[in-house]
Structure formats: C-alpha cells, structure tokens
Amino acid sequence: MGGEKNKKIDVENHEDHNQRHGHHHEGCGHDHHHDHEDCGCGHDHHHDHEDCGCGRDHHGTGQSHEVRHMPKGVEKRTYILNNLGCANCAAKMERQIQELPGVEMAVITFATKQLVVAADHQEKLLPEIQRICASIESEVTVTLREEAEIIRKKKESPLEENKKDLIAIAAGAALFIAGEVLERTAPDSIISMVLFVAAYMILGLEIVWTAVKNLLKGHVFDENFLMSAATLAAFAIGDFAEAVGVMLFYRVGEVFEDIAVSRSRSQIMETVDLRPETVSLVQGNGVRDIPAGEAKIGDVILIRPGDRVPLDGRVIDGQSQIDTSPVTGEPVPVKVFPGKEIYSGCINDTGVLKLEVGKPLGESMVTRILDSVENAAASKPKIDRFITRFARIYTPVVVAAAILTAVVPSIVTGNWNYWIYTAITFLVISCPCALVLSVPLAFFSGIGAGSKRGILFKGGVSIEALKNVSAVVMDKTGTITKGNFVVQKIVSLNRLTEKQLLTIAADCELDSSHPIAVSIVTEARERKLSLIRPKQVEEISGKGICAKFPEGVVLCGNTGLMELYQVDISEYCSSTYGTEVLIAVDGILAGYLVIADVIKEEAQHAVKRMKDQGLITAMLTGDALNSAAAVAQQTGIAEVHAQLLPQDKLTRLKEIRKKHGAVMFVGDGINDAPVLAGADVGAAMGSGADAAIEAADVVFMTSSVDAIPESIDIARKTGNIAMQNVVFALMIKALVMVLGFFGFANMWMAVFADTGVAVLCVLNSIRILYTNRS
C-alpha cells in the first residue's frame, strides 16, 4: 500500500508538470530523470497544516494553533474520568479546570470520558483536577489513560456497574407499591406515610446528601439540587406518594440513561478500537504469545487464518487474502505475498503469514485510527458549544420562573398548593442534561459511523463544515483515476504488428523509472514479450528517446521528437484522452501507443450521487485540457480546470467558492496541501498513508470515490440528528411547562421531559451507526 501511495505521488507530480516535460496528449517526451523532490513547483510537498496560517483546525483536536505550538515546559496528557455520568457536569468541570493556573488548554469529551490537559507541572495539577471533578460529581475519579486501559479490560457489564442502583430501585419500588396499596385501602393509616418516607430514604437520601454537599461548595443548579428541591417541596405540601413516585421514576430513568450512554459509547469504541492484546512471536521453531505493546520493530510474528493483523509490517513468508474492510471500509479482499506491506486491523482470510513488524503498537494503524477518533470527539462543533452555553442560561431562567410561579399566582389566588406543585414541575424540567448530552453523542456516533466505512473525520467541526458544502472539487490523479498509467491502445501504421510495436517501445524504456515508461514495460512483460536493451540510448529532454539497435535506429517520444528528426507524421491522428508515445523506425513512423491513467470503476456512480445530493462537481488538474475534459465527460463532472500548477489550483478553488459557496477539496493529502488548507473541508485519498492522515480534515482510507458522497451523507445525517435532539428536547420541556402551568401536567411528565427525553436522544444519536449505505 505504501508503494502504491508513492507511485500516486510521482504520477500527480508528473501531471502538474506536463507542459514543462512534454507530457500531454500529443506525445510522451518524458524527462526520465524527473525528480519529485526537486520539481520546482515552489511548494513543500510535506507541508504541515500546523503552520499553514489558515486559522482552521486540521487535526481535529479542538485546539488552536497556539495550543499546538505549546510553550516550553508545557506537555499534553490524556486522563480518563471514571464514573462520569452527567454531560452538564462535564461542561462545568471543563470550565473550572481551564481556569487553573498554568493550564493552556483543557477539553473534556463526555462521549469518551476523556480529559485532555495541556499544562506545565501536570503532577501538581492532578490533585486539583481530582478535587474539581469530585466537587461537581462526587464519584468521579481521574486516572491517566494508560492506567485506565488496564481497568477497561476488566470492565463490568452495564448491569453489574449499576447493581447498587438497581437494588435501591427494587427496594424503593416495593415500599412505594406497598404504601400506595395501604393509602387506598386504609386512608387514615400512618403506616403508608412511614412506608413512603422509608422508600424516599432508600431512593433519594444519596441524592439529597449530594445536593447539600454541592450547595456548601456553591454548586446550586445541578440535577441533585433540582430533584431534591422538587421532591422535598412535594413532601412539604403533603403529597408523599408523588414525591416518592417521582424520585423512583427519576432513578429508573437515570439508570436507563447510564446504560444507554454506556452501550452507545462501547459500541462506537469497539468499532474503532482494533488494537490486539497479544501477538504470536516467532522464536526459532517455536511461537509464544507476548503482549502486543512489547513487540519491537524487526520482530517476526505469526498470523493465522481468521486472525486480525495486529501490527503494521511486511509479509516475509506465506500468501493470503486479507479483508481490509475494518480499516478501509472496502469489502474486496486484497492478495498479499512476501514483500507486501500490510496495515494492522485487517483480517487474514486464508493462508498463514509471517510478518516482520514495521511499527510498534503505539505507531501502528490501529492505534492511529483510535487516536484519530478520540481526538475527533474532542473537537466540538459550534452547535455543541452553543448548547453548552445555552444550558448555563436555561437552568437559572427556568428556576427563576419556578419561584415566580410558586409565589406570584399564589398571592393573587391564595391557592398555594396548586402553584407550588406547578413550580415543582418547572424545577424538574430545568435540568439541562438531555440537551447537553444529545449533541456531542450525535457527532460522536457520526464519527463512529464514518470509521466503520473507512472514513476518518477529524472532529465534529469537520462534520459540521462538511454538511454545509455546496461544491466538491477533486484532483484528478489518485482521486478520480487510479494514479497508475496503463497502455490503453496500440496503433500500427505500417507493416509492424501491435506486439512488435510494444516490444520496440518497451526495449527503449527498459531503464526508465518514469510512470509512462514503467506502464509500457509492465504491459510488455504481462504479455510475456522478450525484451532486449538497445546498444545506445540518447535522451532528448522534453521530447523522448533515440535508441540504436543492431536492426536500426528507433525514435520513441512525442511529436516534437519526430519533428526534430524530420519524420513524416501526417498519418498520425491524436486521440482525445491520454498520452501518445510515437514510434519511428529508421525515420519512418511505425505507429504509436496510447497511455492513460485508469478511471476508477466507481467514479461515474459516485459523481452521480454527488449531483443527486445537490452538489456542484469540479476537477482541478495539471493535465492537458482535452485529456482532462475526456475524464470529466466520462465521469459526469460539471466543471474542468486543467493545465494548472499547484499554486494555480488554490486560485481556482477560491473562484469556485465565490461562485458556489462552501467547498470540499479532495486530493492526495501531500502534493495538494495548499489547496487542502484553503478549502472549507480538506479530504485526502489516503489508503491509510501516514502523511494523509495528518494533513486533511477527512481521510478516505479506501481511496474510493464513493467515500466522498458517503461522507457527505453521514455528515448531513449527523447534523440532522443533532438538531432533532435539540429541537425534541426543547419542545418536550416547553410543552410540559405550558401544560403544567395550566394544570394538565404533573411531576411524572416533568421527569420524563428530563431523563426520558435524554434516553430517547441517546437512542436517536446511535441510529446513524445502523443506517444503511445509500
């Protein structure tokens, strides 16, 4: 895969410099010593977005450029917040940790329970971070991610984790039912009140005690306080059954919410976490299992049929078919053999393989994918940041409305019980957890859905930008085409056969490493033709080759070469697509070869899908106009901009954006770095290449054109689900408030508007994981 990527880079470079080296449709005329690293285009092909000056976050970490260029002494660490159960509390923790002295950046991702902190003196900060987290949510403990990995492997099931809560709910429910029965059969009995008080102690004592502790620390508007205030107020007005029933319903809802969030989190993480626990190390004639993290570069590991490839490396023994779909989303198996580089995460289908480890676990593809997804989850979209800010205002406003509702109408009407009860429903509704939880989980599900299909989003920001694009601009080579030249046609103009023409051309090109030359030699060898080197070879820069054989002199190149040697080319008829290599023997034109980059099979269908999505499609290339136009016509691309140098592509991109709106650019992630940086969304056809993963906002691991409309479809569905969650949560809360004000809603409905809505939002969020491909 790495070799294919390098070839793609060379071909792209060749296209961008067609005019200087004679690579256009009229003939080959290639410079056989053309060097990608010294192409003279004026761009650093290994350009890093960290210093691109574009002001956008290309790495999906949610950090600014200033944070990535951290001051001396500042380091970044990732912690896991164990037992974190409240999205709104996570937002409070994040704000307070950011205010600590020496902290450059702090981001909490509720979906993964991760806290990323950039600061100096991390050891001194850890107790402060622990104090802040525990003061907001008492059961939260802070551990380094590496330590949490050990705990994760021993993790209990959601039912085991909530065992204590389930026992309390069962006991409280039994007492509540007994109290309800007694209240109806013996209305004047004090026993029913005792049962209700006992049930409330079991169900609500911990919540009330937590609320008191938080009040002493200055935390007023958390869910513990709101539920305690609401249920104790119900006790105060003599509505014991209502107070206990609401607390019971609340506890049940909290458990369901916790299980739903935990399951959705684990489903997404299991999808992307392909890291192995052990590998089979080959030692002499034996094999022993060792922890995957202990495998070193150069070690040889055994991979049996059905095993997942544990580490990146090179096959040194055996042949097999490997399923790359877990990494690339591509369902077609790939044949591997000795010398073939393969990535971790793929599944070995048939034969036994021995793999020489090329990268340790921490640098292998499985870890890079996991890190990419986790970093992506920390990159918060605008709607997420807005909802977090909105929740800070929403809760105090609703609590204030509850107080006014309890006091003002009661003074006017004298019906204190009715209006206090109405105010209590407002208190329950004022909890913002469903709102704060719904948006990040929707975007995290979108990131997980993309990773299942070989699409790596670099964050919620990337998804949010992608759903709003109006135009898709694509590079030609490696994006629309496969990036490898193939002999498409052989045309004989005299007595020589096609086989003889190909043999002569391949003989001339034997010592060249240029993609066009390689394609000619490859075609000859695939036809099992016998090749011989010429006695003498002379290269004419920008025109082609003059080769001397015992049988005569052969010219192999473009029309300029033929004109230089005064060869009559009146019989030659240029094609509309591809590069022609003309062949003359002893001054007479014998024929020509048509060589072209192969258009990807799925390109036409993918472009149609983009048009169906209402997108404008355009292509930027350094290739000649008629060749580029032929590709566009065959695939259905609407706009073609050809014969462009790399710096010209950015200018064209800006023109397209001005004309059509937000633009997504799809390139190879290296040569097209300036254009990737200049686009609203930069996407790389990477085939898992390291440089591509670093460069773009979105990476298509499979290099399939179908991934472009697929990614846009996921982004739009994710955005829709996030908005559905917000609108649904707000509408239900507003509806229950209005109904409560007019006496048509009770506290049970208010609890549903809080925990019930949160559960429904969680279930709606993970729906995208199971959406079928278009």
Side-chain angles (χ1 to χ4, degrees), residues 559-612:
T559 54
L561 181 69
M562 302 299 138
E563 289 167 1
L564 180 67
Y565 283 88
Q566 299 180 340
V567 175
D568 180 12
I569 58 171
S570 56
E571 291 184 74
Y572 163 66
C573 181
S574 172
S575 68
T576 57
Y577 172 49
T579 299
E580 280 87 24
V581 178
L582 282 69
I583 301 162
V585 180
D586 291 333
I588 299 172
L589 186 65
Y592 59 93
L593 278 61
V594 180
I595 296 158
D597 192 1
V598 181
I599 296 172
K600 292 179 180 177
E601 294 84 357
E602 76 281 1
Q604 186 175 2
H605 174 257
V607 170
K608 183 181 182 300
R609 280 185 65 188
M610 287 181 237
K611 288 182 176 179
D612 292 342

Side-chain angles (χ1 to χ4, degrees), residues 456 459 538 588 760:
L456 290 185
E538 179 187 359
I588 299 172
L760 291 176

